Structures are given as C-alpha cells and as structure tokens.
C-alpha cells in the first residue's frame, strides 16, 4: 500500500532533531517566563473576521495565505496565521484590559500560512511570542526587543542582527502615506505595483526588483516624517536600547507583513538562513485593540520563529543543543534482574531522575549498544552477581569508569545525583572554556 506523507510544507521534527527543537522552544519561552510575562493558551482557530480586522485585508497574509473553511454551523473559521490578534481578542473577551496594566502575556505554538514552501518557510510554523498591552512607555519597547535579543543569545547565537525603525502613528502616517503615494505616481511602475501603491504604498518600498528599487532611492521615508510625539518616543526607545546593551541597525525601509504596526517595529535577521532570514519580529500596535472592539490601549510584542531559530543554531554549528533526554539507562542481565530493575526504574523517576530500562531480554552487548544510543551519561547494570551481593554496577559513559555500589535505593540515589551534578558541572565548564567555533568563524 502507498505510504502517506505529511501535507506539503509542513515539517516533522523527529528524534534526535526534535530534542533540539524542544530545547529552542523552551529556551525562547523561558526568557519570557523569567521576565514576568504570564502564559496564555489560545485556540488554534478563530473567526475569520478576527484576522481580517486585526491583521488587515490588504496584507498577503489575509489575501493569500489563510487556511479558511466553513464549519458545520456555516461559520467562517481560519487557522490562526499569527498570534497577536488572538491575544487581543482573548484580552478583550476576558476583560484583562480592565485590570492592572500593562498586561504581559506569552504564548507558543503552531501558526498556519499557505505560503510557497521553501527552506525555512513552512505552512505550519512555530512561534514563541509575547505581548505587553496597556502602556506606551518606551521602556517596554526596549524591554521587549531586549528580551528577544537575550533569548537568541541564551542559545549561543551570535551572527544575527537586529533592524529597528519607527512607522509613526495614526496621526503622522496618513500624511506620509500621501507623500509617498505622490512620489510613487511619478515612477514608472507596472499595473500590479501601482495597485499596491494605492492600497498599501509602504509595501512598495520593500520591492527588491532592480527596476523598481532603483526608482525608489529618493523615496520619502516615514522616519523623516514622524510627528514630535513619535520622534520623542523613538528617541527614548533607542536610549533605553543602548542602556540594555542591545545593538541594532536603523532600517527606515523595513516593511512588515502585518498591517497593525505603529511606531517601533523590529526584525531579527540571520544571514545564515538564505532567503527566509527573519528569525523573529514584532512591534507596537496602537490601534489594534480598539479596532477589535476593545479599549484604546496600545501594545507591543514579538513572535520568534522556532523553526528558523533552530535553523540558525544549525547554521552556527551549535547543535546538538541537548545531549540526552535521559540521565540513567538501566540494563538487566538475565531474567531474574528484570523485576528489581523495573522497581529501581520507578524509584529513580519518582525522585526526578530521567531513567529508562532496556527491554526484550537483550544480550549485554546489544543492551550496551542501546545504552550508547540513548546518550545517557550513566548506565546501571544489574546481573546475577549484583543480585547475590545486593549491589549494582554504575558505568560512567564518558570516562568508561565502573563503580560497584549498594542497591540500597536511598544510598544509590544519593550517589547517582552526585554523579549527575558532577557531569552537569563538567558540561558547563567545557561550554564556557571552549566556546564552539562557528562555520562563519572558520571561514
Ligand atoms: P511575523 O513577522 O509574521 O510576526 O512572524 C514572526 C516570525 O515567525 C518570523 O520572523 C519568522 O521567524 C516566523 N515565521 C513567519 N512565517 C513563517 C513561515 N512561513 N515559516 C517559518 N517561520 C515563519 C508575527 O507573526 C507577529 N504576530 C509578531 C508580533 C507579535 N508582533 C507583535 N506582537
């Protein structure tokens, strides 16, 4: 019978790479968790109208990339293409905007965009995101950007850069938009680009085609048309970014794919990824909550692409990021050892030691091969000799050293924990003493 493949453009993460995927996702999440952001769990599908109103009908995301279907109750439903609109909907619906502000939330999970699949561009993509809602303080803009920067650095990533700009506000942008449209009307553009210029002129600035880009060199830029409030806000954001030690490039031509952005917008870019180099991005969205029927509250957030961050770690040769999911692998030798091994297995798991046992009555040779495959730092061997003396053999897989220890569970657990602590300390020491050289360092 023919095999069934995953739908086009949808990645599987299988072991051992799935360990690194999980590691990246948890590392990105833990930065938000450790910074006072509360977790929010959101539905994977929402009313289509939420994204039409929230993300904007002139965006590619809404026009071409949404997975939309009619459910059994004849409602138009869309698999979420991004997280911000859903967070706003949940904040309004659960009246979090009426409580203490700012509301700081983080989320993670899959998002869906029917884009043309290529390296780093998937139809099911994974993000870790944060949203800070209810404050326009530039400290929050800088904090959110610094959080993302720190999250990438905590993985060991070095060769990414950060682009930042201000897109102005609902007061100063309309006048700029008109100025840009007047400029674009003087250019020699094809029909489709002219249409884009009338619908969403800022997006034309991002056109990479030589014949278009060459005409846009003198195009007016939003950054030169900011109102006094936006200019002051942006100046302060940059001052705080400096204080937080974050480095960035001014990117006055940056165009984001979602319509809700105002003022500070940013993108993290990794040059090791080819065409799909945006590993994360975000910005402020002053009118979004009101647009969705909520209070006039401003907000700012980011979405970090887990898939692309993993690709960036691979491009910098940082993988494997996690050596093993196990601390201990237990090998019973002979049928009589199976029961004591299983009871030891559960005792170890009960005290938080990640453990597994070799099954199927394997020979010692084949069992040690299985132990090797797990990468567990410690292997416990229990055979007839150990059974008769009430002991176990503990093998340190890195040094090859073997110790005979008592099978008294409390005493054994204490020794195992000590060994695991030493093992962890050695790994940490190696990591700090010998920072990994990257492909780019070597070139
Ligand atoms: P976004 O820039 O559309 O922003 O997506 C954020 C990140 O998700 C991108 O930088 C990229 O790493 C990843 N990503 C996007 N599309 C794909 C894809 N097709 N395949 C793989 N990775 C992808 C947002 O979604 C906003 N909601 C972020 C935000 C939060 N802004 C304010 N708050």
């Amino acid at each position: 019978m023919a095999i069934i493949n995953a739908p086009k453009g949808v990645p599987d993460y299988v072991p051992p790479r799935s360990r690194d995927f999980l590691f990246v996702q948890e590392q990105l999440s833990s930065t938000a968790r450790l910074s006072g952001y509360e977790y929010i769990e959101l539905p994977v599908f929402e009313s289509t109208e939420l994204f039409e109103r929230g993300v904007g009908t002139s965006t590619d995301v809404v026009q071409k990339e949404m997975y939309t279907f009619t459910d059994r109750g004849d409602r138009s439903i869309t698999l979420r293409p991004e997280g911000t609109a859903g967070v706003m909907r949940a904040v309004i619906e659960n009246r979090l905007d009426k409580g203490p502000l700012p509301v700081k939330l983080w989320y993670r999970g899959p998002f869906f965009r029917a884009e043309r699949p290529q390296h780093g561009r998937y139809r099911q993509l994974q993000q870790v995101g944060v949203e800070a809602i209810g404050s326009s303080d530039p400290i929050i803009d800088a904090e959110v950007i610094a959080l993302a920067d720190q999250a990438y650095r905590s993985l060991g990533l070095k060769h990414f850069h950060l682009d930042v700009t201000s897109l102005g506000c609902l007061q100063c942008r309309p006048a700029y938009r008109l100025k840009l449209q007047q400029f674009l009307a003087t250019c020699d553009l094809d029909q489709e680009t002219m249409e884009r210029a009338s619908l969403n002129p800022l997006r034309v600035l991002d056109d990479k085609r030589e014949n278009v880009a060459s005409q846009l060199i003198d195009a007016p830029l939003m950054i030169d048309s900011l109102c006094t409030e936006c200019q002051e806000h942006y100046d302060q954001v940059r001052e705080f970014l400096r204080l937080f030690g974050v480095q960035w490039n001014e990117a006055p031509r940056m165009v984001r794919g979602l319509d809700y952005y105002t003022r500070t917008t940013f993108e993290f870019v990794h040059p090791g990824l080819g065409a799909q180099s945006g590993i994360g991005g975000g910005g402020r969205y002053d009118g979004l909550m009101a647009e969705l029927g909520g209070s006039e509250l401003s907000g700012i957030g980011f979405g970090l692409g887990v898939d692309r961050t993993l690709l960036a770690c691979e491009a910098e040769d940082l993988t494997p990021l996690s050596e093993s999911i196990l601390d201990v692998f237990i090998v019973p030798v002979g049928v009589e050892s199976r029961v004591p091994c299983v009871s030891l297995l559960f005792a170890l798991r009960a005290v938080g030691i990640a453990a597994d046992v070799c099954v199927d009555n394997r020979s010692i040779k084949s069992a040690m091969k299985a132990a090797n495959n797990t990468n567990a730092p410690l292997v416990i061997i229990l055979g007839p000799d150990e059974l008769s003396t009430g002991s176990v053999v503990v093998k340190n897989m890195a040094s090859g050293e073997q110790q005979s220890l008592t099978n008294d569970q409390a005493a054994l657990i204490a020794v195992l924990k000590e060994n695991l602590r030493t093992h962890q300390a050695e790994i940490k020491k190696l990591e700090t003493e010998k920072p990994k050289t990257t492909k780019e360092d070597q070139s």
Side-chain angles (χ1 to χ4, degrees), residues 82-84 107 113 115 120-122 125 127 130-131 256 258 260-261 278-283 285 301-303 305 307-308:
E82 63 95 53
T84 313
Y107 52 91
R113 296 184 189 178
E115 295 190 80
R121 184 160 71 194
Y122 306 125
L125 58 121
Q127 285 183 10
V130 306
E131 312 293 347
R256 304 270 298 131
L258 312 159
Y260 47 63
Y261 291 117
I279 53 173
Y285 38 83
F302 62 59
D307 315 85
R308 291 191 194 165

Side-chain angles (χ1 to χ4, degrees), residues 141 165-171 173 230 233 258-265 282-288 298-300:
D141 301 47
T165 196
S166 172
L167 289 182
C169 67
L170 306 176
Q171 269 67 51
R173 198 158 58 201
C230 284
H233 186 268
L258 312 159
D259 262 2
Y260 47 63
Y261 291 117
T262 53
R263 292 196 166 175
T264 317
T265 38
R284 189 166 274 288
Y285 38 83
D286 284 341
L288 178 59
S298 177
I300 180 162

Side-chain angles (χ1 to χ4, degrees), residues 90-110:
V91 166
I92 299 167
E93 197 170 332
N94 295 284
R95 298 177 61 80
L96 299 184
D97 53 329
K98 307 290 182 220
L101 300 176
V103 182
K104 292 174 130 185
L105 302 166
W106 77 274
Y107 52 91
R108 66 173 159 198

